[in-house]
Every structure is written in structure tokens, then in C-alpha cells.
Amino acid sequence: MAGGARSASVVDVAAEAGVSLGTVSNVLNRPERVSDKTRFKVEQAMARLGFVRNESARQLRAGQSRLLAYVMLDVANPFFTDVAQGIDAAATEHELSLFLCNSANDAGREAAYLTHLSQQRVQGILVTPVDPYSPLLEEIVKHTPVVIVDRTRNDHRFCSAAADDVAGGRLAVEHLIDRGHTRIAYIGGPPSLGQVRERHEGALLACREAGLAEDALLHIGTDGLGFADGREAGERLIGIPAKRRPTAAFCANDLVALGLLQQVSLSGRTVPDDLAIVGFDDIDFAGAAAVPLTSVRQPRRELGRTAAEALLDEASNPDHEHRQVTFTPELVARRSTVT
Amino acid sequence: MAGGARSASVVDVAAEAGVSLGTVSNVLNRPERVSDKTRFKVEQAMARLGFVRNESARQLRAGQSRLLAYVMLDVANPFFTDVAQGIDAAATEHELSLFLCNSANDAGREAAYLTHLSQQRVQGILVTPVDPYSPLLEEIVKHTPVVIVDRTRNDHRFCSAAADDVAGGRLAVEHLIDRGHTRIAYIGGPPSLGQVRERHEGALLACREAGLAEDALLHIGTDGLGFADGREAGERLIGIPAKRRPTAAFCANDLVALGLLQQVSLSGRTVPDDLAIVGFDDIDFAGAAAVPLTSVRQPRRELGRTAAEALLDEASNPDHEHRQVTFTPELVARRSTVT
DNA sequence: CCGCCTTATTGAAAGGTTTCATTGACGTCG
DNA sequence: CGACGTCAATGAAACCTTTCAATAAGGCGG
């Protein structure tokens, strides 16, 4: 880092180059209006002084930045990084930069990021919220375009892009029932997550429609939706006496499913013979597991791209109307349920 | 978004509350110096006007932000998200926010992010660079603390935290040689990545030390270090006539190894009997694959945390000295190489 | 050779916050 | 009752850039 000297400003550059500060600014912003000779002088001066434009001052004057941000629930979950890539693609096309923020499923962190971003006057914020009905979101959307990703609010106060989690849960369990299973586990948590609740709801629906008994669906709760949670749930599942033990499991996401798969394999059991497994999200690792995982596919990149495009419309189109896009998920059957 | 009205400033709040703007600022920054009654009035006024502090102006005056950024090579690679979590932990302890930027292995994107961040006057930048010797990095480190993650420069112009990739590559191949393999593939690319080159170098070293023939190590190049690249390399590998085909593969990272594993399994072959596989990084998915993957472990979170701490020292300690921390990787043997 | 037009450059103002030296009010002590 | 000390509130200055109306210089046609 530089020693003590304050970093050079346009005024310093102007003095060094022997021109006015307006000219320096022109070199920066409208180089075509400056004669070659002058521009050269100014560029030399900038190089000598190590001038770095101050983005804060620039933005203060300009009032806006060319910046988008995505506040994601879990940066370690490939589902969200894929969504982020979709957002990134759209942002790049519009020559905007994207910052990623990891709330790590913590409402406090999420709030801090949202506040900071709105104070930073970013063009817009995409967020997969811990709680889509948080009052802070309503507060922020008054000033800054906000689009909700992977969740939907049924008032129409936000744009959103999400998959139909109820339908997805239903698909998964219908598939298991089709394959003859009548004792099925639903594995996931915490229930504070809408994703967990809705996928469960879909699972229940499928059971009901198939006329299964009330207790056909066994809910095994987990603390989170990571790998370790899946393994731990696996242990508990294996601990259940064989005659009562479910013959199939539907996991709230693929990380949990992969953890479960691993635990079951380690215990010497076979998937799908001893336990059939369905995941959710269809991340790349699902299809690539050595027992490829049946999963409910969400269009991950598409989700991100759609959300980003809605955001850009909200940010630039004066008569923008909020829209809630819902994607219908799709079952991808693989060996973890099919012999 | 709000209608047409410009968003309220401290001046507007002051007028609304019937106090001076200095008082509003005090409410914001030193609430204890303001009488309860006045503070209440001001807070009411803020709420009525929907005041949102302008971070640009604040920073312009303050000169600094409480912001760190990590420019990562590939947000879709769990290795880097784990590193990011380590950075995040350290940042959180110091009450700093962390922004993540995905360069996606593109030097142009990396440059754009680095420039933007330094103009934004962030406290510091962590970066896993496409090329650690890029002149732009040297330029930026003159003004903004920069720490290199997962790479090292051997001049001492930057702090860095990285694992010893040569040693890692050597470990991997020594392990394979120990298990009796004499025809080994090294799978990875592009060679522009230091990680790819150095792990290869380590592999060569191991071969040489074991006295294997020059052509014992077959280099199979890939375009990148993703899943798909591993699968594609798998096809090529399988295409080699059995008697010349390597009996083991060392992959430049776990994503490639998992792709390879999948392709080999799909072709009806068995790991490790038909092909032993070693990966690199030991991401969670490696141990969790149904044929658990032998891998070279890097202390991922530790790497991030160490880098972040070096950065914080550089940012706050006037007589900071650059240090290059190198971690020694460790082989984790699992079933993909051990029957 | 003058007036006009074009092109290049100028300098002041604005943008919203924080800081700090100063003022004002009020209570207390001598 | 006056001087002093404390606490609260004030408002001007500074941070750095961009914009824009105004000026200066230079070239051309008449």
C-alpha cells in the first residue's frame, strides 16, 4: 500500500497536467471531446500520480451504479451457484457487474446485506430470502428494485421467479408410489424454510391422492439442508426396525439426498433395493453420483436469468408491472429409484 | 419503486424534524449525544420521509468502507465456496461484510472486478487470480491491500495463502505407485492455470523418483476443470486400447475426478479395479461419492481464513510485512484407490 | 479583414454525508 | 447574583466527481 500520501484526485491530476479539472473529467468520460495532445498530457499525469477514480464521488454525482447483487441462501449449495450463473449471464449481457452475498440462512446477515446494498444505491437486488414476507424487504423495495428468487409471495408486491415446490414434491412421491413404495420418508428441515414446507406439502398430497394411510409418510427433520444433515438423517433412518422402516426417501434437496445415499451405502445397504432415494434440484452432482440420483429438476440457470431480467425491467421500465413466474419442475428418474 | 421524488437527504430530514442537519447526522452516528426528545423527533421524520442513508456520500467523506471482496475463479466449484466460507468467518469476526465476485476464469472479468473494487475503496481484496503475475494486480496493490489465495508469487510483493500443489501432486502419484500402478494418467487443463501445471509437475516428480519410464505418465488435457471435462476425458481414456491404457488416473481436481468416475462407471467398468482414481481438493462431494474418492486434501476453510487474516493485518497494521503461507496437503485414501 | 461557426477548454455548482469549532441554554457553585 | 461548566444543537467546510453554461481559440467564407 501507498505510504502516507492521500491518493490523488482529479484536481491533483489537473494541476500536474496543467489543465482544468473539467478537462480531466472529460478525458475520463468523453475522451473524444479532448484533443489528442491534451489527452496525452492528462494520461501521463494520471500515470505519474497513480490516480484512481473515486467511485463513491462518482456515484454520488451520478446517482446510480451499474451494479446488481444476489443475496443467496447458501453459497455452498450448487443449486444456488447455478442460479447465480444464470443471473450473471443476464447481468453480463446488460453490462452490469454482479456481487454475490451469502446470507448463510441467517436473517441477521441477510438484513445487513440488504441494508448495505440499498444504501449503496445498487441498480437492483436479487434475493433468496430466509423469509419472503420479511418487513425489511417491503421497506427496501420502496427505493430499490428487488426480485425474489426461488420463492414467491402471493401478494403482488414483488417480482419473483421460482419453481412450484408443491408440484415438485408431488412428482417425487408419485414416482415412488408408482414404483410400489408404501412407506416413504420425507427428509428435510428446518421447517422455517418455505422450500422445506412446500415440498412436504406436495409429498402429502401425493400420498393422499394415492389413498395411502395417514402415516405412510414419515417426516424426518434435519437442522439444515447440507450434506452432513443427510448423513445424520441416514443414521436415524437405518436405526428404524426393518419392518417399520420406509423403503424409500424423498429428500428436500440433493445435498441431503447425497448425504443419505452415502450413509446408506456405508451401512452396507444398496440403493435402490434397500432404500430408494429421490432428491430435489437436480444439481450436477446428482446425476454424477455413482448411484445416479433420481431428482426433481428445477431450471436452475433459467430461474436466475428470468429473475435478473425481471429485475432489469423493474429498474428501467417506468410502467413495469410485477410478475411472478413459476416454473414447473420435472422428474428425472435415475438409478437411485429404478433398478 | 418510489414514484418520481428524489429520495430524502439528511437536509430534508432536518427540515422535517425542525432541527439542523448536524443533529440528524448525530442521530445517525452518535445517538448518545442527542437528547431523547430530539432523537425521537428525528427518527419520526426519517420514517415519514423514508430516509435511506446514501452510502456513497458517507464513504466519500469517511474515505473508507467496511467491506472485503473475494474475486474467485469459479463459483461453481465447491472448493472455492469453501475457501469463501473461511474468508467469511474471519470477516464476520471483524465485523466486515464480504462480497463475492466470480471471474469465471476470465481475465477480462477479473480485471473489471478488481478495478471496480479498488475504485470503490474497499478495505481489501482477496483474489484467486487467473494469472498471479498480472500487472494489474501490482498496480492495484499500490492503493488497496490485496492477498492472493490458492496461488503464490515468489517475489514477495503480496501476501498469499496456498497449498503446495507440487507436493500434492507428488503425494497423489506416490500413492498410486505404492499400490502397484505403473501406467498413470494425469487429467487436467488448461495449462494456463498454475494449479494444473504444478500438480502435474509433482506427478512427474513422483514418477521420476520411483524410477518409472518417461512415458509412465500420460497427460490427458481438458478445456477446464469442471464435471463435463472429467466425463469427456473419461471417454477418451476408455478409448485407449486396454493393454496401453493407464490403470490409474490422477485428476487436477475433484470435479474432474467425479466426472471421470461417472463416465467409467457408466461404461460398465469398476473403480478402482479397472481404474483407480485420485482427485484433488477433497471437497465434500469427494468423500460422499458412492465410490468414495481418494483425494489430496487442502485445508480449504483454513486457507480462506489465513488469507483473510493476512489481509486484515495489511489493511490495519502500518508495519505489515508480506508473508506467503504455504500449507502442506495431505492424502486421504478412500475406496477409489483401495480395494 | 471582419464576423461567424466549430471545437477545445474552463470553472463554478451540485450531489449527500460527516466533522468540528462554535454558539446557545441551563444549572450550579461561589 | 454573576461566572463558569456542561450538555445539546448548530452550520459551514470538506470529501471528489460530474455536468453544463460560458469562454477562448482557431478556421473559414464573404
Side-chain angles (χ1 to χ4, degrees):
Chain A
M1 257 218 304
R6 297 209 30 64
S7 79
S9 76
V10 279
V11 177
D12 304 323
V13 173
E16 174 81 11
V19 300
S20 80
L21 102 182
T23 301
V24 177
S25 179
N26 281 334
V27 170
L28 251 20
N29 302 297
R30 298 177 214 71
E32 74 283 1
R33 292 207 195 155
V34 179
S35 72
D36 289 357
K37 202 183 58 177
T38 308
R39 189 174 20 161
F40 183 73
K41 271 197 306 187
V42 172
E43 280 162 356
Q44 292 293 306
M46 285 180 175
R48 272 199 300 279
L49 270 54
F51 170 75
V52 178
R53 204 189 214 157
N54 184 322
E55 180 67 20
S56 296
R58 169 191 176 67
Q59 219 174 272
L60 173 57
R61 190 67 233 267
Q64 265 239 342
S65 65
R66 300 202 52 78
L67 208 58
L68 253 42
Y70 175 36
V71 182
M72 60 209 293
L73 210 47
D74 178 11
V75 73
N77 183 338
F79 170 73
F80 292 113
T81 60
D82 284 350
V83 170
Q85 289 187 327
I87 295 169
D88 195 319
T92 304
E93 277 169 26
H94 292 259
E95 301 193 310
L96 295 163
S97 301
L98 178 67
F99 282 176
L100 301 175
C101 309
N102 181 30
S103 74
N105 207 348
D106 174 328
R109 289 181 51 125
E110 180 184 294
Y113 274 124
L114 291 174
T115 304
H116 189 128
L117 291 167
S118 78
Q119 292 184 353
Q120 191 103 255
R121 306 293 200 263
V122 296
Q123 285 239 327
I125 303 176
L126 298 119
V127 56
T128 299
V130 175
D131 166 20
Y133 290 94
S134 132
L136 179 60
L137 283 177
E138 301 176 27
E139 198 51 48
I140 287 184
V141 78
K142 290 179 192 161
H143 324 287
T144 308
V146 174
V147 170
I148 295 178
V149 188
D150 194 40
R151 294 283 76 207
T152 307
R153 280 174 66 124
N154 44 33
D155 54 18
H156 289 224
R157 313 241 247 135
F158 291 83
C159 280
S160 62
D164 184 337
D165 280 332
V166 176
R170 187 155 148 187
L171 270 179
V173 172
E174 278 173 1
H175 172 72
L176 290 172
I177 294 173
D178 278 356
R179 305 210 60 79
H181 297 280
T182 54
R183 292 199 311 278
I184 299 172
Y186 174 68
I187 303 181
S192 60
L193 284 180
Q195 291 90 335
V196 171
R197 287 196 310 271
E198 294 186 4
R199 289 166 197 181
H200 184 214
E201 196 183 314
L204 281 173
L205 228 59
C207 289
R208 225 169 281 144
E209 279 172 5
L212 291 192
E214 191 67 2
D215 60 351
L217 193 73
L218 173 70
H219 189 166
I220 299 184
T222 59
D223 291 340
L225 291 177
F227 234 90
D229 301 296
R231 272 199 299 251
E232 191 245 340
E235 273 179 32
R236 276 193 278 157
L237 189 65
I238 292 166
I240 299 175
K243 68 181 81 138
R244 291 198 291 113
R245 188 190 308 142
T247 57
F250 167 43
C251 299
N253 78 3
D254 284 344
L255 291 183
V256 171
L258 289 170
L260 174 66
L261 171 62
Q262 182 188 30
Q263 194 64 35
V264 169
S265 303
L266 281 180
S267 80
R269 273 160 259 252
T270 312
V271 172
D273 298 333
D274 298 311
L275 184 76
I277 301 180
V278 182
F280 207 109
D281 292 344
D282 194 33
I283 61 177
D284 285 339
F285 295 99
V291 179
L293 194 65
T294 296
S295 190
V296 178
R297 171 176 297 166
Q298 309 194 55
R300 308 183 298 275
R301 282 182 184 71
E302 196 59 21
L303 215 65
R305 168 176 286 279
T306 305
E309 274 159 7
L311 185 67
L312 294 171
D313 186 67
E314 180 161 352
S316 62
N317 179 356
D319 32 54
H320 164 88
E321 290 192 8
H322 292 325
R323 52 176 183 266
Q324 288 75 39
V325 180
T326 303
F327 290 91
T328 304
E330 182 185 336
L331 188 95
V332 182
R334 298 205 185 85
R335 292 228 308 277
S336 73
T337 56
V338 183
T339 329
Chain B
M1 259 220 304
R6 294 214 35 64
S7 79
S9 77
V10 278
V11 177
D12 303 324
V13 173
E16 174 81 11
V19 300
S20 79
L21 101 182
T23 301
V24 176
S25 179
N26 281 334
V27 170
L28 251 21
N29 302 296
R30 298 177 216 71
E32 74 283 0
R33 292 204 194 157
V34 180
S35 72
D36 288 358
K37 202 184 58 176
T38 308
R39 191 178 19 174
F40 183 73
K41 270 197 308 187
V42 172
E43 279 163 356
Q44 292 294 306
M46 284 179 175
R48 271 198 301 279
L49 296 171
F51 170 75
V52 177
R53 204 190 215 156
N54 185 323
E55 179 66 20
S56 296
R58 169 190 175 68
Q59 219 175 275
L60 173 58
R61 188 66 233 262
Q64 264 238 341
S65 66
R66 299 203 53 76
L67 208 58
L68 252 42
Y70 175 36
V71 182
M72 61 209 293
L73 210 48
D74 178 11
V75 74
N77 184 340
F79 170 73
F80 292 113
T81 60
D82 285 350
V83 170
Q85 289 187 328
I87 295 169
D88 195 317
T92 303
E93 277 168 26
H94 292 259
E95 301 192 310
L96 295 163
S97 301
L98 177 66
F99 281 175
L100 301 175
C101 308
N102 181 29
S103 74
N105 207 348
D106 175 327
R109 289 181 52 126
E110 180 185 295
Y113 275 124
L114 291 174
T115 305
H116 189 128
L117 291 167
S118 77
Q119 293 184 353
Q120 191 103 254
R121 305 293 199 265
V122 296
Q123 285 238 329
I125 303 176
L126 297 118
V127 55
T128 299
V130 175
D131 166 20
Y133 290 95
S134 129
L136 179 60
L137 283 176
E138 301 177 27
E139 197 52 47
I140 287 185
V141 79
K142 290 179 192 162
H143 324 287
T144 308
V146 174
V147 170
I148 295 177
V149 188
D150 193 40
R151 295 283 75 208
T152 308
R153 281 174 64 124
N154 44 31
D155 53 19
H156 288 223
R157 313 240 247 136
F158 292 84
C159 281
S160 62
D164 185 337
D165 280 331
V166 176
R170 188 155 147 187
L171 271 178
V173 171
E174 277 172 1
H175 172 74
L176 290 173
I177 294 174
D178 278 355
R179 305 212 57 83
H181 297 280
T182 54
R183 291 198 312 276
I184 300 172
Y186 174 68
I187 303 181
S192 59
L193 284 180
Q195 290 90 334
V196 171
R197 287 196 310 271
E198 294 185 4
R199 291 166 196 180
H200 185 216
E201 197 183 314
L204 281 173
L205 228 59
C207 288
R208 226 170 280 145
E209 279 171 6
L212 290 192
E214 190 67 2
D215 60 351
L217 193 72
L218 174 68
H219 189 165
I220 299 186
T222 58
D223 291 340
L225 291 176
F227 233 91
D229 300 297
R231 271 200 299 252
E232 191 245 341
E235 272 179 33
R236 276 193 278 157
L237 190 64
I238 292 166
I240 299 175
K243 68 181 81 141
R244 290 197 291 112
R245 189 191 309 144
T247 57
F250 167 41
C251 299
N253 78 2
D254 283 345
L255 292 184
V256 171
L258 289 171
L260 174 65
L261 172 61
Q262 183 189 31
Q263 193 64 38
V264 169
S265 302
L266 281 180
S267 80
R269 273 159 260 253
T270 313
V271 172
D273 298 333
D274 297 312
L275 185 76
I277 300 179
V278 183
F280 207 109
D281 292 343
D282 194 31
I283 61 177
D284 285 339
F285 295 98
V291 178
L293 195 66
T294 295
S295 190
V296 177
R297 171 177 296 167
Q298 310 194 54
R300 308 184 297 275
R301 282 182 185 69
E302 196 60 21
L303 214 65
R305 169 176 285 279
T306 305
E309 274 159 8
L311 185 66
L312 293 171
D313 186 66
E314 179 161 350
S316 64
N317 178 356
D319 32 55
H320 165 88
E321 290 192 7
H322 292 325
R323 51 177 185 267
Q324 288 75 40
V325 181
T326 303
F327 290 91
T328 303
E330 183 186 338
L331 189 95
V332 181
R334 298 204 186 86
R335 293 227 308 278
S336 74
T337 57
V338 182
T339 327

